[in-house]
Amino acid sequence: MMELDDIAIRRGGQTIVRGVSARLAPGQIHAVIGPNGTGKTTLLRAIFGELPLENGAIRLGERALGHGRKNRLVEWREDIAYMPQDTNADVALTVLEVVVLGRLGKLSLHIDDETLSLAMDRLTQAGIAHLAGRDIASLSGGQRQMVLFAQVLMRAPKVMLLDEPVSALDLKHQVSLLDVVRRETRANGWITLAVLHDLNLACQYADNLLVIADGALKVSGAPRHVVTPELIGETYGVTVDVLHDRRGNPVIQPVGNIHETTPENERMLA
């Protein structure tokens, strides 16, 4: 279990995230959603230890990260894997080498066959084993995103932090990657926290949603329990219909901007 206890995060002299408390259960996908610039990436970076806490604490088992605490980040990050949204790779490494680096803390001067085999298995899981020998700098943004995901899997973490992991992918690869995320999260009892901009993908794959707006946690819970037209309207400033698929998951259908309603739109909605 990971616990966020009333955390606040300050950047550039301004409090970006404040008063966030949540319990993130293992074996579940927790999706962070909300408007641009509201603190979603900041939250993930703080959990990884890249940004200091202004207030509160983050706990994972017997370990804790908190304001004023002299933290040993190497120990804190032992069980945490972080995939940032920036996939730029200005390094002279092959795809296979990048994935092997996921086990950096366990590598020696000699990379054994077991490690190489595991790296190829992770590339196969990500559907990009055919790219193993390619220079990562030569790949498209979407391909690099899949490589970094394979590197995260290579670490076999207890906590997986994914910042917009499908932003550069087409629909087929979005579904493929998130299928792997769900399968591995449940099979291994991982805690997965992912920032997702696609609300429908978040509703389809997340066990729990954390809705962040203006730097604060607006609401959290299972998608089918918390996603309403009112919540989306208040959070994003748009009018939507919330339908449900065959499994009961919410499907969000945009209607338009609530501030740009015309008489014709009003008649259509009446």
Side-chain angles (χ1 to χ4, degrees), residues 203-261:
C203 289
Q204 290 293 317
Y205 283 93
D207 301 287
N208 182 49
L209 292 180
L210 284 76
V211 184
I212 304 287
D214 298 322
L217 181 61
K218 194 177 184 72
V219 66
S220 65
R224 67 184 64 190
H225 295 150
V226 302
V227 173
T228 64
E230 292 76 19
L231 174 71
I232 302 303
E234 292 170 3
T235 303
Y236 291 92
V238 295
T239 301
V240 301
D241 290 332
V242 176
L243 313 175
H244 292 85
D245 65 15
R246 67 186 71 179
R247 293 178 294 181
N249 295 318
V251 177
I252 298 166
Q253 176 64 53
V255 175
N257 193 303
I258 60 176
H259 302 300
E260 297 180 0
T261 303

Side-chain angles (χ1 to χ4, degrees), residues 17-253:
V17 173
R18 62 191 180 280
V20 174
S21 296
R23 290 168 61 86
L24 308 180
Q28 293 187 348
I29 298 174
H30 308 269
V32 185
I33 65 172
N36 291 337
T38 197
K40 302 183 298 299
T41 293
T42 295
L43 178 62
L44 262 62
R45 291 182 63 194
I47 292 173
F48 191 57
E50 282 191 352
L51 297 174
L53 297 182
E54 181 184 22
N55 184 65
I58 304 170
R59 297 180 180 86
L60 177 63
E62 300 297 321
R63 299 172 186 167
L65 194 67
H67 172 64
R69 187 186 301 268
K70 290 185 178 180
N71 305 297
R72 299 185 64 180
L73 287 181
V74 172
E75 292 182 1
W76 173 253
R77 293 173 177 171
E78 279 182 358
D79 299 318
I80 301 176
Y82 175 41
M83 176 180 165
Q85 57 180 296
D86 183 3
T87 63
N88 288 330
D90 188 18
V91 292
L93 295 173
T94 67
V95 166
L96 181 61
E97 289 169 337
V98 170
V99 175
V100 166
L101 287 177
R103 301 196 72 181
L104 183 61
K106 302 177 181 178
L107 294 178
S108 64
L109 291 177
H110 173 70
I111 299 176
D112 56 46
D113 291 341
E114 181 181 354
T115 299
L116 290 174
S117 177
L118 179 59
M120 285 303 303
D121 286 345
R122 294 312 195 188
L123 285 169
T124 299
Q125 280 184 289
I128 52 172
H130 61 288
L131 299 176
R134 288 274 300 275
D135 185 336
I136 190 169
S138 71
L139 303 184
S140 69
Q143 289 172 325
R144 289 196 301 271
Q145 206 161 31
M146 299 296 285
V147 173
L148 293 181
F149 176 62
Q151 186 190 73
V152 166
L153 292 178
M154 187 72 175
R155 293 201 59 183
K158 291 182 180 178
V159 179
M160 187 160 54
L161 305 175
L162 307 174
D163 194 355
E164 299 185 40
V166 296
S167 60
L169 303 180
D170 60 34
L171 180 59
K172 177 182 178 180
H173 289 95
Q174 287 178 341
V175 170
S176 176
L177 186 147
L178 291 174
D179 278 345
V180 175
V181 169
R182 179 163 57 190
R183 183 175 65 247
E184 294 298 310
T185 297
R186 292 179 177 173
N188 298 293
W190 294 347
I191 298 168
T192 295
L193 185 64
V195 172
L196 293 173
H197 272 302
D198 189 312
L199 300 184
N200 285 319
L201 286 176
C203 289
Q204 290 293 317
Y205 283 93
D207 301 287
N208 182 49
L209 292 180
L210 284 76
V211 184
I212 304 287
D214 298 322
L217 181 61
K218 194 177 184 72
V219 66
S220 65
R224 67 184 64 190
H225 295 150
V226 302
V227 173
T228 64
E230 292 76 19
L231 174 71
I232 302 303
E234 292 170 3
T235 303
Y236 291 92
V238 295
T239 301
V240 301
D241 290 332
V242 176
L243 313 175
H244 292 85
D245 65 15
R246 67 186 71 179
R247 293 178 294 181
N249 295 318
V251 177
I252 298 166
Q253 176 64 53

